[in-house]
Amino acid sequence: MDMMKSARKNETGEVGSDLSEQIKAATKDNHVRAENTQLMLSYQKGEITLVQYKVLLCSLYEIYRALEDELDRNASHPAVAPIYFPQELARVESLERDLEHFFGSEWRKRVIVPAATLRYGQRLRQIGRENPELLVAHAYTRYLGDLSGGQVLGKITQKSLGLSSKEGLSFFHFPGVSSPNRFKQLYRSRMNSIELTEKEKAAVLEEAVQAFELNIQVFDDLQKMLSVATETADQHKDRSPAAVLPSSPIVQFTVGLCVALATIGVGMYAL
């Protein structure tokens, strides 16, 4: 498939030369698939659970830690410098606050992520070392997606989980961005000003598609991990009172996560 050719037409059928328009066109189908993963459908229905949200935060932290490490390291690269907005967009510190809120001061020892999340982080670090211009695709799909849907998802999360304050919801807030719409216009303008060869532009478009695919894999793996954990916890709950394992729901779910580690390949590590 010729990614450049498929991305040249916008929704009206006219040719679009802006990189932001081409990425939007190239990733249209992937975007729809990402929105229809089970985890995202739960969000859209307002049915997100605390466990879902906590494991999602863990994966987002791993992804953004890799992305922002590489953006910082390549801040002066000609393709990265125009879209480098650490004061306005950086998410790592916000995610750290959310993780500490839910997991306590020892949260680094309790982070659990699926193998797909580790692959996503590894890809970001690889292109940061070898092809920094490809970071443009990941920064665009992640940050502008967060700015576009962050406020709505934040409200859904707060309502679904019954949170009385905004503690645990820092990820959704961008205090350095007074107007998301105006900032997105600025960001697209900066991104469209990046000078790329035709080969580099084609590679960026391919990487944008890959970014969505990596996100879809993360969402799917998170849901599998949760399904295995819940099923295992239910099995232990159904055992007789003489069962060796404690009956606490928290312990049961932790046992389930341990089974998920072996079942689908999950990274559990101290950061």
Side-chain angles (χ1 to χ4, degrees):
M1 174 182 175
D2 188 333
M3 191 59 64
M4 286 291 290
K5 186 180 294 184
S6 67
R8 287 186 188 278
K9 291 188 178 182
N10 59 26
E11 292 178 357
T12 64
E14 298 174 347
V15 174
S17 60
D18 288 345
L19 182 60
S20 60
E21 291 181 10
Q22 292 186 16
I23 287 180
K24 184 177 180 180
T27 60
K28 184 178 179 180
D29 292 343
N30 309 84
H31 197 164
V32 172
R33 287 179 54 230
E35 289 179 338
N36 283 280
T37 57
Q38 189 172 346
L39 191 61
M40 289 299 100
L41 287 174
S42 294
Y43 249 116
Q44 294 170 34
K45 295 175 183 176
E47 298 173 352
I48 191 75
T49 67
L50 180 58
V51 173
Q52 283 178 316
Y53 182 53
K54 286 164 73 173
V55 295
L56 177 60
L57 287 176
C58 290
S59 280
L60 288 172
Y61 178 72
E62 171 66 15
I63 292 164
Y64 275 103
R65 192 165 67 105
L67 175 60
E68 292 176 6
D69 280 352
E70 296 308 318
L71 289 174
D72 290 345
R73 196 158 63 87
N74 291 283
S76 61
H77 188 280
V80 174
I83 51 93
Y84 183 62
F85 292 95
Q87 297 300 317
E88 293 84 0
L89 297 177
R91 299 288 83 202
V92 168
E93 289 186 6
S94 297
L95 285 162
E96 287 176 344
R97 288 194 295 272
D98 290 340
L99 289 167
E100 183 170 1
H101 172 74
F102 288 113
F103 291 103
S105 60
E106 298 293 311
W107 63 268
R108 285 179 173 82
K109 298 179 180 178
R110 304 178 63 188
V111 169
I112 299 175
V113 298
T117 301
L118 298 181
R119 290 195 299 270
Y120 196 163
Q122 289 165 359
R123 177 59 182 169
L124 289 166
R125 295 189 187 282
Q126 178 187 7
I127 64 176
R129 291 190 307 269
E130 300 173 2
N131 304 97
E133 67 276 5
L134 299 184
L135 291 170
V136 173
H138 291 275
Y140 175 77
T141 55
R142 287 238 57 96
Y143 288 127
L144 264 67
D146 295 337
L147 278 172
S148 297
Q151 298 302 309
V152 173
L153 291 179
K155 291 177 181 177
I156 291 175
T157 304
Q158 185 173 18
K159 183 177 180 180
S160 297
L161 302 185
L163 301 177
S164 58
S165 69
K166 293 186 177 180
E167 289 188 355
L169 300 169
S170 297
F171 171 72
F172 299 108
H173 299 289
F174 292 79
V177 178
S178 58
S179 170
N181 285 335
R182 284 200 298 269
F183 186 85
K184 285 188 291 184
Q185 290 175 357
L186 169 65
Y187 193 97
R188 291 191 185 100
S189 176
R190 291 281 194 91
M191 189 174 76
N192 293 335
S193 73
I194 297 171
E195 295 185 4
L196 298 170
T197 66
E198 286 299 299
K199 183 178 180 180
E200 288 172 336
K201 183 176 284 189
V204 169
L205 295 178
E206 293 282 359
E207 193 66 28
V209 171
Q210 177 71 356
F212 272 98
E213 289 303 309
L214 288 167
N215 274 292
I216 291 169
Q217 291 169 19
V218 169
F219 294 153
D220 286 345
D221 263 18
L222 284 174
Q223 195 59 51
K224 290 176 187 175
M225 183 176 76
L226 290 169
S227 297
V228 171
T230 301
E231 181 180 345
T232 304
D234 289 343
Q235 289 174 356
H236 287 301
K237 184 168 59 177
D238 292 338
R239 289 184 179 182
S240 67
V244 175
L245 289 170
S247 59
S248 162
I250 295 176
V251 173
Q252 290 169 354
F253 193 81
T254 301
V255 169
L257 285 179
C258 290
V259 172
L261 290 173
T263 304
I264 65 170
V266 178
M268 185 173 185
Y269 54 92
L271 297 171

